[in-house]
mmCIF file of all heavy atoms in Angstrom:
data_model
loop_
_atom_site.group_PDB
_atom_site.id
_atom_site.type_symbol
_atom_site.label_atom_id
_atom_site.label_comp_id
_atom_site.label_asym_id
_atom_site.label_seq_id
_atom_site.Cartn_x
_atom_site.Cartn_y
_atom_site.Cartn_z
ATOM 1 N N LEU A 153 39.377 161.354 154.021
ATOM 2 C CA LEU A 153 40.519 160.336 153.871
ATOM 3 C C LEU A 153 41.475 160.984 152.967
ATOM 4 O O LEU A 153 41.238 161.895 152.125
ATOM 5 C CB LEU A 153 39.837 159.081 153.154
ATOM 6 C CG LEU A 153 38.757 158.231 153.811
ATOM 7 C CD1 LEU A 153 38.281 157.121 152.959
ATOM 8 C CD2 LEU A 153 39.205 157.781 155.246
ATOM 9 N N GLU A 154 42.699 160.542 153.160
ATOM 10 C CA GLU A 154 43.865 160.945 152.374
ATOM 11 C C GLU A 154 44.666 159.763 151.960
ATOM 12 O O GLU A 154 44.696 158.685 152.541
ATOM 13 C CB GLU A 154 44.738 161.952 153.229
ATOM 14 C CG GLU A 154 44.052 163.129 153.711
ATOM 15 C CD GLU A 154 44.817 163.870 154.779
ATOM 16 O OE1 GLU A 154 45.809 163.349 155.263
ATOM 17 O OE2 GLU A 154 44.413 165.104 155.155
ATOM 18 N N GLY A 155 45.307 159.861 150.726
ATOM 19 C CA GLY A 155 46.050 158.771 150.373
ATOM 20 C C GLY A 155 45.636 158.273 148.880
ATOM 21 O O GLY A 155 45.296 159.138 148.026
ATOM 22 N N GLU A 156 45.764 157.041 148.679
ATOM 23 C CA GLU A 156 45.319 156.507 147.268
ATOM 24 C C GLU A 156 44.729 155.121 147.465
ATOM 25 O O GLU A 156 44.876 154.458 148.490
ATOM 26 C CB GLU A 156 46.483 156.416 146.418
ATOM 27 C CG GLU A 156 47.661 155.492 146.922
ATOM 28 C CD GLU A 156 48.733 155.414 145.963
ATOM 29 O OE1 GLU A 156 48.682 155.983 144.793
ATOM 30 O OE2 GLU A 156 49.806 154.719 146.224
ATOM 31 N N ILE A 157 43.970 154.805 146.486
ATOM 32 C CA ILE A 157 43.276 153.421 146.360
ATOM 33 C C ILE A 157 43.348 152.913 144.934
ATOM 34 O O ILE A 157 43.223 153.660 143.994
ATOM 35 C CB ILE A 157 41.813 153.500 146.829
ATOM 36 C CG1 ILE A 157 41.216 152.024 146.915
ATOM 37 C CG2 ILE A 157 40.909 154.383 145.972
ATOM 38 C CD1 ILE A 157 39.819 151.929 147.471
ATOM 39 N N ARG A 158 43.635 151.667 144.847
ATOM 40 C CA ARG A 158 43.645 151.101 143.501
ATOM 41 C C ARG A 158 42.902 149.685 143.520
ATOM 42 O O ARG A 158 42.792 148.991 144.522
ATOM 43 C CB ARG A 158 45.180 150.680 143.081
ATOM 44 C CG ARG A 158 46.007 151.921 142.976
ATOM 45 C CD ARG A 158 47.497 151.485 142.590
ATOM 46 N NE ARG A 158 48.063 150.705 143.578
ATOM 47 C CZ ARG A 158 48.750 151.189 144.548
ATOM 48 N NH1 ARG A 158 48.780 152.578 144.720
ATOM 49 N NH2 ARG A 158 49.308 150.428 145.459
ATOM 50 N N GLY A 159 42.391 149.367 142.352
ATOM 51 C CA GLY A 159 41.540 148.107 142.261
ATOM 52 C C GLY A 159 41.607 147.579 140.889
ATOM 53 O O GLY A 159 41.821 148.248 139.913
ATOM 54 N N THR A 160 41.639 146.304 140.711
ATOM 55 C CA THR A 160 41.660 145.601 139.453
ATOM 56 C C THR A 160 40.268 145.603 138.841
ATOM 57 O O THR A 160 39.524 144.656 138.946
ATOM 58 C CB THR A 160 42.087 144.121 139.683
ATOM 59 O OG1 THR A 160 41.360 143.393 140.513
ATOM 60 C CG2 THR A 160 43.567 144.106 140.074
ATOM 61 N N GLY A 161 39.955 146.656 138.280
ATOM 62 C CA GLY A 161 38.658 146.831 137.578
ATOM 63 C C GLY A 161 37.741 147.744 138.443
ATOM 64 O O GLY A 161 37.856 147.922 139.631
ATOM 65 N N ASP A 162 36.785 148.448 137.775
ATOM 66 C CA ASP A 162 35.881 149.310 138.440
ATOM 67 C C ASP A 162 35.065 148.691 139.546
ATOM 68 O O ASP A 162 34.773 149.340 140.590
ATOM 69 C CB ASP A 162 35.010 149.993 137.417
ATOM 70 C CG ASP A 162 35.744 151.012 136.486
ATOM 71 O OD1 ASP A 162 36.833 151.439 136.815
ATOM 72 O OD2 ASP A 162 35.162 151.358 135.348
ATOM 73 N N VAL A 163 34.747 147.426 139.327
ATOM 74 C CA VAL A 163 33.872 146.854 140.306
ATOM 75 C C VAL A 163 34.488 146.795 141.683
ATOM 76 O O VAL A 163 33.828 146.844 142.706
ATOM 77 C CB VAL A 163 33.361 145.415 139.818
ATOM 78 C CG1 VAL A 163 34.490 144.548 139.834
ATOM 79 C CG2 VAL A 163 32.253 144.979 140.719
ATOM 80 N N VAL A 164 35.873 146.648 141.710
ATOM 81 C CA VAL A 164 36.486 146.531 142.959
ATOM 82 C C VAL A 164 36.482 147.950 143.720
ATOM 83 O O VAL A 164 36.331 147.918 144.960
ATOM 84 C CB VAL A 164 37.997 146.093 142.779
ATOM 85 C CG1 VAL A 164 38.911 146.154 144.086
ATOM 86 C CG2 VAL A 164 38.134 144.651 142.234
ATOM 87 N N LEU A 165 36.570 148.986 142.930
ATOM 88 C CA LEU A 165 36.504 150.197 143.583
ATOM 89 C C LEU A 165 35.102 150.574 144.028
ATOM 90 O O LEU A 165 34.939 151.218 145.116
ATOM 91 C CB LEU A 165 36.959 151.292 142.539
ATOM 92 C CG LEU A 165 38.391 151.359 141.990
ATOM 93 C CD1 LEU A 165 38.687 152.360 140.987
ATOM 94 C CD2 LEU A 165 39.425 151.488 143.280
ATOM 95 N N ILE A 166 34.089 149.988 143.301
ATOM 96 C CA ILE A 166 32.768 150.244 143.775
ATOM 97 C C ILE A 166 32.563 149.445 145.021
ATOM 98 O O ILE A 166 31.834 150.016 146.004
ATOM 99 C CB ILE A 166 31.818 149.659 142.670
ATOM 100 C CG1 ILE A 166 31.815 150.562 141.467
ATOM 101 C CG2 ILE A 166 30.330 149.650 143.195
ATOM 102 C CD1 ILE A 166 31.027 149.999 140.184
ATOM 103 N N ALA A 167 33.077 148.186 145.116
ATOM 104 C CA ALA A 167 33.012 147.479 146.313
ATOM 105 C C ALA A 167 33.675 148.166 147.497
ATOM 106 O O ALA A 167 33.182 148.141 148.698
ATOM 107 C CB ALA A 167 33.575 146.061 146.133
ATOM 108 N N ALA A 168 34.852 148.783 147.316
ATOM 109 C CA ALA A 168 35.483 149.483 148.304
ATOM 110 C C ALA A 168 34.733 150.705 148.803
ATOM 111 O O ALA A 168 34.602 150.981 149.919
ATOM 112 C CB ALA A 168 36.863 150.050 147.754
ATOM 113 N N ARG A 169 34.009 151.304 147.883
ATOM 114 C CA ARG A 169 33.114 152.497 148.206
ATOM 115 C C ARG A 169 32.035 152.039 149.163
ATOM 116 O O ARG A 169 31.869 152.585 150.193
ATOM 117 C CB ARG A 169 32.616 153.100 146.926
ATOM 118 C CG ARG A 169 31.474 154.079 147.135
ATOM 119 C CD ARG A 169 30.352 154.133 146.192
ATOM 120 N NE ARG A 169 30.977 154.171 144.748
ATOM 121 C CZ ARG A 169 30.131 154.061 143.736
ATOM 122 N NH1 ARG A 169 28.860 153.700 143.823
ATOM 123 N NH2 ARG A 169 30.669 154.024 142.542
ATOM 124 N N MET A 170 31.449 150.965 148.785
ATOM 125 C CA MET A 170 30.242 150.388 149.652
ATOM 126 C C MET A 170 30.757 149.838 150.910
ATOM 127 O O MET A 170 30.042 149.964 151.948
ATOM 128 C CB MET A 170 29.397 149.301 148.829
ATOM 129 C CG MET A 170 28.799 149.801 147.588
ATOM 130 S SD MET A 170 27.994 151.443 147.677
ATOM 131 C CE MET A 170 26.726 150.897 149.113
ATOM 132 N N GLN A 171 31.975 149.333 150.918
ATOM 133 C CA GLN A 171 32.542 148.859 152.238
ATOM 134 C C GLN A 171 32.638 150.019 153.244
ATOM 135 O O GLN A 171 32.221 149.740 154.376
ATOM 136 C CB GLN A 171 33.912 148.220 151.940
ATOM 137 C CG GLN A 171 34.613 147.825 153.308
ATOM 138 C CD GLN A 171 36.129 147.462 153.028
ATOM 139 O OE1 GLN A 171 36.708 147.952 152.069
ATOM 140 N NE2 GLN A 171 36.716 146.714 154.034
ATOM 141 N N LEU A 172 33.021 151.083 152.779
ATOM 142 C CA LEU A 172 33.139 152.296 153.725
ATOM 143 C C LEU A 172 31.866 152.849 154.044
ATOM 144 O O LEU A 172 31.562 153.211 155.292
ATOM 145 C CB LEU A 172 34.136 153.321 153.115
ATOM 146 C CG LEU A 172 35.572 152.887 152.903
ATOM 147 C CD1 LEU A 172 36.471 153.987 152.450
ATOM 148 C CD2 LEU A 172 36.192 152.364 154.224
ATOM 149 N N LEU A 173 30.966 152.899 153.129
ATOM 150 C CA LEU A 173 29.578 153.495 153.372
ATOM 151 C C LEU A 173 28.892 152.605 154.355
ATOM 152 O O LEU A 173 28.237 153.087 155.264
ATOM 153 C CB LEU A 173 28.858 153.653 152.048
ATOM 154 C CG LEU A 173 29.306 154.942 151.149
ATOM 155 C CD1 LEU A 173 28.619 154.817 149.808
ATOM 156 C CD2 LEU A 173 28.868 156.148 151.899
ATOM 157 N N LEU A 174 28.898 151.313 154.092
ATOM 158 C CA LEU A 174 28.173 150.313 155.033
ATOM 159 C C LEU A 174 28.751 150.384 156.338
ATOM 160 O O LEU A 174 28.015 150.280 157.368
ATOM 161 C CB LEU A 174 28.190 148.953 154.437
ATOM 162 C CG LEU A 174 27.472 148.748 153.049
ATOM 163 C CD1 LEU A 174 27.872 147.305 152.569
ATOM 164 C CD2 LEU A 174 26.052 148.786 153.382
ATOM 165 N N THR A 175 30.064 150.679 156.469
ATOM 166 C CA THR A 175 30.711 150.666 157.794
ATOM 167 C C THR A 175 30.235 151.941 158.552
ATOM 168 O O THR A 175 29.904 151.881 159.715
ATOM 169 C CB THR A 175 32.294 150.747 157.697
ATOM 170 O OG1 THR A 175 32.735 149.381 157.107
ATOM 171 C CG2 THR A 175 32.917 150.937 158.863
ATOM 172 N N VAL A 176 30.225 153.023 157.826
ATOM 173 C CA VAL A 176 29.793 154.308 158.543
ATOM 174 C C VAL A 176 28.367 154.238 158.919
ATOM 175 O O VAL A 176 27.985 154.515 160.046
ATOM 176 C CB VAL A 176 30.003 155.487 157.632
ATOM 177 C CG1 VAL A 176 29.325 156.763 158.199
ATOM 178 C CG2 VAL A 176 31.447 155.781 157.381
ATOM 179 N N PHE A 177 27.503 153.630 158.071
ATOM 180 C CA PHE A 177 26.068 153.562 158.393
ATOM 181 C C PHE A 177 25.741 152.454 159.394
ATOM 182 O O PHE A 177 24.604 152.223 159.843
ATOM 183 C CB PHE A 177 25.195 153.431 157.055
ATOM 184 C CG PHE A 177 24.929 154.732 156.507
ATOM 185 C CD1 PHE A 177 25.800 155.150 155.439
ATOM 186 C CD2 PHE A 177 23.890 155.655 156.861
ATOM 187 C CE1 PHE A 177 25.596 156.376 154.824
ATOM 188 C CE2 PHE A 177 23.663 156.817 156.278
ATOM 189 C CZ PHE A 177 24.503 157.207 155.192
ATOM 190 N N ALA A 178 26.802 151.621 159.721
ATOM 191 C CA ALA A 178 26.601 150.724 160.746
ATOM 192 C C ALA A 178 26.308 151.278 162.025
ATOM 193 O O ALA A 178 25.758 150.636 163.016
ATOM 194 C CB ALA A 178 27.709 149.752 160.815
ATOM 195 N N GLU A 179 26.659 152.463 162.269
ATOM 196 C CA GLU A 179 26.270 153.303 163.466
ATOM 197 C C GLU A 179 24.915 153.734 163.283
ATOM 198 O O GLU A 179 24.636 154.599 162.357
ATOM 199 C CB GLU A 179 27.181 154.538 163.595
ATOM 200 C CG GLU A 179 28.606 154.149 164.108
ATOM 201 C CD GLU A 179 28.587 153.618 165.519
ATOM 202 O OE1 GLU A 179 28.250 154.457 166.403
ATOM 203 O OE2 GLU A 179 28.989 152.459 165.713
ATOM 204 N N SER A 180 24.028 153.247 164.155
ATOM 205 C CA SER A 180 22.556 153.467 163.954
ATOM 206 C C SER A 180 22.042 154.891 163.977
ATOM 207 O O SER A 180 21.088 155.227 163.416
ATOM 208 C CB SER A 180 21.860 152.683 164.954
ATOM 209 O OG SER A 180 22.073 153.084 166.201
ATOM 210 N N VAL A 181 22.909 155.721 164.661
ATOM 211 C CA VAL A 181 22.615 157.128 164.694
ATOM 212 C C VAL A 181 22.858 158.001 163.457
ATOM 213 O O VAL A 181 22.425 159.211 163.387
ATOM 214 C CB VAL A 181 23.137 157.845 165.965
ATOM 215 C CG1 VAL A 181 22.621 157.142 167.213
ATOM 216 C CG2 VAL A 181 24.676 157.783 165.975
ATOM 217 N N VAL A 182 23.765 157.321 162.567
ATOM 218 C CA VAL A 182 24.148 158.160 161.380
ATOM 219 C C VAL A 182 22.928 158.105 160.368
ATOM 220 O O VAL A 182 22.384 157.144 160.024
ATOM 221 C CB VAL A 182 25.367 157.431 160.653
ATOM 222 C CG1 VAL A 182 25.583 158.106 159.324
ATOM 223 C CG2 VAL A 182 26.518 157.507 161.644
ATOM 224 N N GLN A 183 22.557 159.261 159.984
ATOM 225 C CA GLN A 183 21.375 159.453 159.010
ATOM 226 C C GLN A 183 21.914 159.875 157.620
ATOM 227 O O GLN A 183 21.134 159.646 156.534
ATOM 228 C CB GLN A 183 20.397 160.469 159.518
ATOM 229 C CG GLN A 183 19.742 160.080 160.793
ATOM 230 C CD GLN A 183 19.096 158.804 160.786
ATOM 231 O OE1 GLN A 183 18.336 158.401 159.824
ATOM 232 N NE2 GLN A 183 19.319 157.853 161.676
ATOM 233 N N SER A 184 23.069 160.519 157.564
ATOM 234 C CA SER A 184 23.703 160.778 156.191
ATOM 235 C C SER A 184 25.191 160.821 156.440
ATOM 236 O O SER A 184 25.665 160.926 157.618
ATOM 237 C CB SER A 184 23.161 162.143 155.794
ATOM 238 O OG SER A 184 23.638 163.184 156.610
ATOM 239 N N ALA A 185 25.859 160.664 155.242
ATOM 240 C CA ALA A 185 27.308 160.685 155.341
ATOM 241 C C ALA A 185 27.947 161.158 154.058
ATOM 242 O O ALA A 185 27.561 160.911 153.029
ATOM 243 C CB ALA A 185 27.717 159.070 155.553
ATOM 244 N N VAL A 186 29.014 161.954 154.312
ATOM 245 C CA VAL A 186 29.818 162.466 153.281
ATOM 246 C C VAL A 186 31.298 161.880 153.471
ATOM 247 O O VAL A 186 31.815 162.088 154.550
ATOM 248 C CB VAL A 186 29.943 163.984 153.168
ATOM 249 C CG1 VAL A 186 30.808 164.445 152.109
ATOM 250 C CG2 VAL A 186 28.600 164.648 152.980
ATOM 251 N N ILE A 187 31.793 161.128 152.486
ATOM 252 C CA ILE A 187 33.109 160.601 152.629
ATOM 253 C C ILE A 187 33.902 160.981 151.417
ATOM 254 O O ILE A 187 33.520 160.823 150.294
ATOM 255 C CB ILE A 187 33.083 159.026 152.741
ATOM 256 C CG1 ILE A 187 32.017 158.537 153.751
ATOM 257 C CG2 ILE A 187 34.441 158.492 153.073
ATOM 258 C CD1 ILE A 187 31.873 156.930 153.848
ATOM 259 N N THR A 188 34.957 161.587 151.738
ATOM 260 C CA THR A 188 35.939 161.989 150.566
ATOM 261 C C THR A 188 37.378 161.449 150.688
ATOM 262 O O THR A 188 37.752 161.202 151.791
ATOM 263 C CB THR A 188 36.091 163.607 150.559
ATOM 264 O OG1 THR A 188 36.615 164.059 151.807
ATOM 265 C CG2 THR A 188 34.677 164.136 150.424
#
Side-chain angles (χ1 to χ4, degrees):
L153 302 173
E154 299 168 351
E156 62 177 355
I157 183 172
R158 297 180 296 274
T160 54
D162 290 343
V163 69
V164 172
L165 295 177
I166 292 172
R169 173 214 308 170
M170 296 313 302
Q171 177 190 22
L172 296 183
L173 285 169
L174 291 170
T175 293
V176 171
F177 279 96
E179 285 291 296
S180 63
V181 294
V182 174
Q183 298 303 312
S184 66
V186 177
I187 308 177
T188 61

